[in-house]
Structures are given as C-alpha cells and as structure tokens.
Amino acid sequence: MATPYSARPRKRTAHACDACRVRKSRCDGRQPCSWCTENEVECLYGQQQQPLGANQGKSDKILETVLRMDGLLRSIHENLSDQQQQNLQQRAVTSPRFSDPSSPDNSDFAKVANATIPSTHISATEDLLISPIAAPYPSLRAQFRPIFLLESRCPAIPYQPRSIRPVFTTSEAERLLNSFQRNVNFWYPTVSKATLQNLFERVRNGFVENTCEDCAALLVMALGAASELVQLVHSSTKSHGFESRQHQSELMTMASVCYDEAMKLLNVAYMEISTISTQCVFLAAIYCSFLQRPLQTWGHLNTAATKCRALLAYGTGSGNIEDDECIRRIFWSCYIIESDLISELSHLPQSGVAEVESEVPLPGPLQTHFTEAETESSALYFLSCISIRRLLNRVHHLLYAEDKYKNYTNATDESLRGLISELDRQLVLWHETLPEFLRFEENTRDCVNEHAAFLRQRYLACKSVIYRPYVEIVLKHREIPHSAETIDAASRCLKASCDHIANLRSFSQTVMIDTWICALSMTSTMFIILVALQIPSLRPRLLEHNIPEFGPHLRDLLNAWIGVMPQKSPSIQQSVRLIAEIEALIGQSR
C-alpha cells in the first residue's frame, strides 16, 4: 500500500548565498556552497543588500529581518566610542546614553549580540509577587509558594511497566504520524520527511529493535496521539458525548503507552551522540511539556542542547547534509523552549545554547512535510518564532538584568528611553515583515489561522515587557506627577497586557507546549493590571477594557488545559488560585 511516507524528499534551498544571488544561479545552500568552493570565492549569506522586491522569497525576507535586527544592535555597539564624545544635547532620543553611569556598560551591551536572558533577571512572576509593589496585597503573598519548590516536590510521572510493545495498524500509524506532522513538526520542524519514512517503517514492523530509531518512532507516535487529543478536547466543534470521551481516553492511553515504552529506550539515546539520539531526547522534552512538567522538560532540553553543541562543533560524521540541518533546527528549538522556561524560573542553570546562538546558522532548507508549500510555511513560522524569541531575550537582557534594572528609576532617564524606543522599533520591524499567512492585527479580531494568533500572543507579550518599566516607575513614585509621555508609555504596556488576555484561546501550541509558561505569564499580567488600577493617572486607560471578564476567562482556560492531565502541575494550580484572588481584589478596587 502506497503511503505519503514512501515519497522521496525533494531537495530545495530556501536561502541562497550572496554570490549565487548576484549570478542568479541555483545555490545548494551549503556553507560554503559548491559554486563558491569550486571558484575559490568567499561564501557569504545575508551580506548582499537587496530591495524587498517581488522576486524575493518569503524566507529571504524573514532571514533578512533577523539579520537586520542583529545589525542594528551591532552598529550601536560599534559606534559607542563616537557617541561617548558627542554633546549630550545633540544625542538622538533613540540612541542609548552609554556614558551615563546608570546605563549598561560597554562590555555588557556587547554581549547582546548573543540574545541571552541573564540568570538573575528581574521580570518573572515570582519577582513581581515578592517585590515591594506586592506589599499592599498580603493575601497574594500568603498564597504564593516558590515555583521551583512546588515543581520539585511534584510526584514522579506515572509509569506502567509493560512486557508487550504497542501495535498499530497502517491506518492508525498514518493518522498519528500525520497529526505529529500537522502540529509538533510544524511548530518545531526538526524531523525530516526522510526520517519520518524510516520511523513509519519502524512502527509497521512493531519496534523490534532496542535502538534510538525505535525510541524516536515511539515518541513520534506518543506526540501524535497527544496532539490529536489536544485538538479533540479543545476544538470549537468538539462533541461531549460518550463516544468522544471514550476516544479521548483511548488517545491518552495510547500516548502514555508509547511514552512508557520510549522511556525504556531513552537510556540508549542518552548514551549515544548522533542526530537521531538528539532527536529522541528533544522529543522527550516536548512530551514532558505536554505533561506540564517544566523541570523534566528542562532536564531533557539540557541534554539535547549539549548534544547539539557537540555535534555542531565536531560535525555529525554521517556525511548527510540533512543530519547537519536537523541538529541546527533542534538547537534553535531548544533555544526557544529553554528561554521560555528561564524567563519564569530565574537562577535555573542554562544549557549554554543562548551563549552561542549568534554563531549557529539559522534554519536552512529541509524537507519536513509532504508538500513544498507546507514545508515552506513551517520554515517561515519557525523563523518567525526564533526572531521574536531572540528579541524577547534582548528585552530581558537590556531592561531586566538585576544589576541594570535597579538603576532605571527615573522616567526621564535618556538611556532607558533610548533602549525602549529601539526595542519597540525592532518589534514593529518584526511585525511588518511577517509573511502574509502569519499577519495579524494588533486588536481582538480573529486571525486567519492559529499560527498567526499564536504569534500575536508573542508580540503582545513582548510589547508588554518592553514598556513595563514605565508602569513600575509610576508605581514606585506615586507621589510625584508624571509627564504625559511617561503615562502614555505605561499605557502601552497595559493595553498590550489587556489585549494579551482578551486574545488568549486554546491554541494547539499553547495547550500542547506552553500551558505552564502561559499560566505564569497570565498571573503576572493580571497582577500588573491590579496594581495599575490603583493609580489615578492609569486607571482611566484600563477601564476602557472589559477587565471583569479577564479572571473568569483565564481560569476557565487553565482549568480546561490541565483537565486532561492525570497529575496536575502544582504551579499551574497555584496560578489559577492567584488569578482568582487577583480577580477578587480587582472587584474590590472597582
């Protein structure tokens, strides 16, 4: 029986080198490419300046945007010495005042080329709830427990030892593999079509070997069942009948059985250093995200990231270009997910992917789906997620590093204004260059698809944290009048926060991967709204939004997301309780 997995992948380059662009000839996408090697020409990517014309590919536009963002920050750093000699009155508002003692020093700013989150950043929900801003709300502090402590005391993931591995019919295997493709491998396109063909054969043969390939096949089936379960439970057209509940139970059992069997083989993947073993550990991290286990996710990610760094440094040794590209994509996937975890769990040891991210090439050509269109869409979405996560990391680095953050106490601080202006400009640039199918409006209108809607959530979260320092400055200095410019900047944070909550839905990627990070993020967002309501100059801006609906909306979503889990995440349950308490406090303040 012919299946989509039997078709051979078609090689295609999404980004040509500069020399091949000028010659308008086909480039194989290698580094260096074949033509440059044969002709002894320096092979560069992203250096040639081109207008964004009709002949430029969508992936080129995204890559060009990422490179331009890096260039903006590098150019600022290169001009530091000149800026320090200029007269203060002649400096533009958008240029950070690096000679100011309260500004980041030159060496720190140079590190921003690597978009890292400082290990002691001051931006997590935990930081807000233990800060002086929360002092007027003892009921919140009384209910709050450290997140790491809660998660570290969580019982182990249930494990059922079995002597027989799962058996799938061809149609069942195809269905679950297609679900994996549509969801997990679209968000994090790390498994090539050729690899999926091999894993499909492993499933059909019944996992007869104790190899990394069998482990990967089991994890793909587990994630396929999990993603199908998420879509079934949270679909707008879902049925609540007996058959639907029975199907949900079957999918959860199927996912659990495959995961349990994969865990028996994961020690093989941990001991081996190869592309397929790295994929196994990364997929295990993704499944732990589905189980809403942040510390277990972090543990697997660290191992996967370490393997990536080793294979990037020494090569995969397989002679297969696809293997090299898969490792790069796993590296960037680890970068995104680890950054999400670190943003809420400060002080958690990092794998080091962020420290070297500027040295690792961005994702290149890899056939991951059955059609060229779907492969390209997935690659563009992945690049968009990478670039917004890099920008978020820069925001944390420049605005919330502990040693810098305490210096930003004055809304007239020119260095603060300059940094926020530049970061906002980069966010606007990112938004403007999104491909058409990922475009969204900065309002509460429905997006064209879930992928655009998810990116809008990232955009609003980024905008909120960019402008949050102004809200905190107003809160810390309530006794003095603030300029209209300061109030307007603080209002941008609050509007983005309100829109973030109002736009939140049961997006498949949010439920499957980001439930934990979303729960923490929404708690801090609700808290910012609560404290801002106490400020007369900010209160009118907030009352333009339907704030009384925010608490019930968030609690309904979070309770639904944790409802299918056999064990509930204690920190997510705490977030639900805190949101309910914040909702009550908001009601009292109105």
Side-chain angles (χ1 to χ4, degrees), residues 14-285:
H15 191 220
C17 73
D18 293 341
C20 291
R21 281 183 190 229
V22 173
R23 295 173 55 251
K24 296 184 178 179
S25 64
R26 185 178 297 277
C27 179
D28 59 19
R30 298 180 182 178
Q31 292 185 331
C33 73
S34 299
W35 189 90
C36 291
T37 302
E38 292 174 4
N39 294 274
E40 298 182 351
V41 173
E42 185 178 8
C43 189
L44 300 174
Y45 286 80
Q47 302 298 318
Q48 180 69 26
Q49 297 297 318
Q50 278 186 284
L52 296 178
N55 293 328
Q56 190 178 24
K58 294 177 183 177
S59 56
D60 291 337
K61 293 182 182 180
I62 295 293
L63 285 165
E64 190 169 293
T65 297
V66 175
L67 293 168
R68 194 183 307 162
M69 285 182 176
D70 288 344
L72 288 169
L73 286 173
R74 288 196 182 99
S75 65
I76 292 174
H77 173 59
E78 290 168 0
N79 293 327
L80 282 177
S81 57
D82 295 335
Q83 290 178 354
Q84 290 174 336
Q85 297 172 4
Q86 293 175 356
N87 188 284
L88 290 178
Q89 285 77 19
Q90 295 177 342
R91 287 178 182 153
V93 173
T94 56
S95 297
R97 195 175 72 183
F98 295 99
S99 60
D100 192 306
S102 66
S103 303
D105 63 36
N106 297 357
S107 61
D108 282 347
F109 196 84
K111 295 175 185 175
V112 180
N114 285 328
T116 60
I117 298 181
S119 60
T120 56
H121 66 96
I122 309 296
S123 55
T125 303
E126 191 166 338
D127 299 316
L128 283 173
L129 293 177
I130 64 175
S131 71
I133 296 174
Y137 309 102
S139 61
L140 284 177
R141 287 188 165 184
Q143 292 191 41
F144 179 76
R145 296 292 181 273
I147 298 165
F148 183 87
L149 183 63
L150 286 174
E151 290 295 340
S152 63
R153 292 180 176 177
C154 189
I157 297 173
Y159 174 77
Q160 297 294 330
R162 299 174 178 88
S163 58
I164 302 176
R165 289 184 179 173
V167 177
F168 297 93
T169 65
T170 299
S171 60
E172 286 175 333
E174 286 187 339
R175 194 189 80 228
L176 295 182
L177 283 168
N178 286 335
S179 177
F180 173 83
Q181 281 283 71
R182 285 193 311 272
N183 298 289
V184 179
N185 211 39
F186 188 94
W187 309 324
Y188 298 103
T190 58
V191 185
S192 69
K193 180 183 170 184
T195 299
L196 278 172
Q197 292 169 331
N198 178 35
L199 299 184
F200 177 68
E201 291 303 318
R202 297 274 173 171
V203 175
R204 291 181 62 182
N205 292 336
F207 315 103
V208 293
E209 300 177 11
N210 295 323
T211 62
C212 286
E213 285 79 5
D214 277 359
C215 182
L218 285 161
L219 286 166
V220 165
M221 299 302 283
L223 288 167
S227 59
E228 191 172 309
L229 172 64
V230 165
Q231 289 197 311
L232 177 65
V233 172
H234 301 286
S235 169
S236 58
T237 58
K238 65 183 180 183
S239 169
H240 297 279
F242 172 76
E243 290 185 0
S244 176
R245 292 195 300 273
Q246 186 178 32
H247 188 33
Q248 292 174 28
S249 177
E250 290 173 354
L251 287 171
M252 191 67 202
T253 301
M254 192 180 300
S256 299
V257 168
C258 289
Y259 178 72
D260 288 349
E261 290 302 307
M263 289 304 97
K264 295 178 182 178
L265 302 178
L266 197 62
N267 65 309
V268 179
Y270 264 75
M271 296 297 290
E272 189 175 304
I273 305 294
S274 64
T275 301
I276 191 65
S277 69
T278 308
Q279 283 178 328
C280 286
V281 181
F282 173 70
L283 293 175

Side-chain angles (χ1 to χ4, degrees), residues 151-157 259 270 281 284-289 291-302 341:
E151 290 295 340
S152 63
R153 292 180 176 177
C154 189
I157 297 173
Y259 178 72
Y270 264 75
V281 181
I286 293 288
Y287 193 85
C288 286
S289 289
L291 294 178
Q292 300 163 10
R293 294 298 190 100
L295 297 186
Q296 286 75 15
T297 301
W298 166 77
H300 289 312
L301 277 180
N302 266 257
L341 295 174

Side-chain angles (χ1 to χ4, degrees), residues 69 384 387-388 426-434 440 459:
M69 285 182 176
S384 301
S387 55
I388 190 67
Q426 292 190 29
L427 180 61
V428 170
L429 180 65
W430 174 84
H431 181 232
E432 289 178 346
T433 53
L434 287 173
F440 56 82
Y459 169 87

Side-chain angles (χ1 to χ4, degrees), residues 285-493:
I286 293 288
Y287 193 85
C288 286
S289 289
F290 163 68
L291 294 178
Q292 300 163 10
R293 294 298 190 100
L295 297 186
Q296 286 75 15
T297 301
W298 166 77
H300 289 312
L301 277 180
N302 266 257
T303 301
T306 301
K307 289 176 181 288
C308 282
R309 292 186 64 179
L311 292 169
L312 287 168
Y314 295 100
T316 59
S318 66
N320 189 337
I321 298 175
E322 283 193 352
D323 280 354
D324 297 333
E325 178 59 27
C326 284
I327 289 299
R328 284 195 291 270
R329 288 177 176 235
I330 297 172
F331 173 92
W332 285 111
S333 299
C334 290
Y335 172 81
I336 293 172
I337 301 174
E338 183 185 76
S339 296
D340 286 344
L341 295 174
I342 297 299
S343 67
E344 288 294 349
L345 277 173
S346 54
H347 301 281
L348 195 66
Q350 302 182 34
S351 68
V353 288
E355 296 174 5
V356 297
E357 55 88 21
S358 64
E359 303 168 17
V360 178
L362 291 166
L366 182 69
Q367 187 74 29
T368 55
H369 291 75
F370 303 131
T371 66
E372 289 289 339
E374 196 172 10
T375 293
E376 182 183 31
S377 295
S378 174
L380 289 172
Y381 177 72
F382 190 39
L383 285 167
S384 301
C385 289
I386 291 171
S387 55
I388 190 67
R389 186 63 255 182
R390 294 176 85 181
L391 181 54
L392 273 164
N393 283 14
R394 290 193 174 104
V395 172
H396 285 290
H397 189 110
L398 291 171
L399 297 180
Y400 296 100
E402 188 174 25
D403 57 336
K404 306 182 183 77
Y405 181 79
K406 60 186 177 182
N407 296 321
Y408 294 140
T409 59
N410 188 345
T412 61
D413 187 323
E414 186 180 338
S415 63
L416 176 64
R417 290 165 55 198
L419 286 173
I420 289 178
S421 177
E422 174 59 30
L423 291 167
D424 181 68
R425 189 167 75 88
Q426 292 190 29
L427 180 61
V428 170
L429 180 65
W430 174 84
H431 181 232
E432 289 178 346
T433 53
L434 287 173
E436 190 63 34
F437 83 102
L438 294 176
R439 290 285 177 91
F440 56 82
E441 297 182 33
E442 194 180 340
N443 50 38
T444 55
R445 294 179 184 175
D446 290 339
C447 295
V448 293
N449 54 57
E450 271 200 353
H451 310 304
F454 182 83
L455 287 179
R456 179 165 63 182
Q457 295 299 100
R458 289 281 193 179
Y459 169 87
L460 292 170
C462 189
K463 189 161 192 175
S464 176
V465 294
I466 286 174
Y467 283 99
R468 188 196 289 179
Y470 284 107
V471 175
E472 299 191 27
I473 286 171
V474 173
L475 291 170
K476 290 175 182 177
H477 303 282
R478 306 182 186 203
E479 69 285 354
I480 63 173
H482 294 278
S483 67
E485 181 183 5
T486 299
I487 298 301
D488 181 63
S491 298
R492 293 186 187 185
C493 167

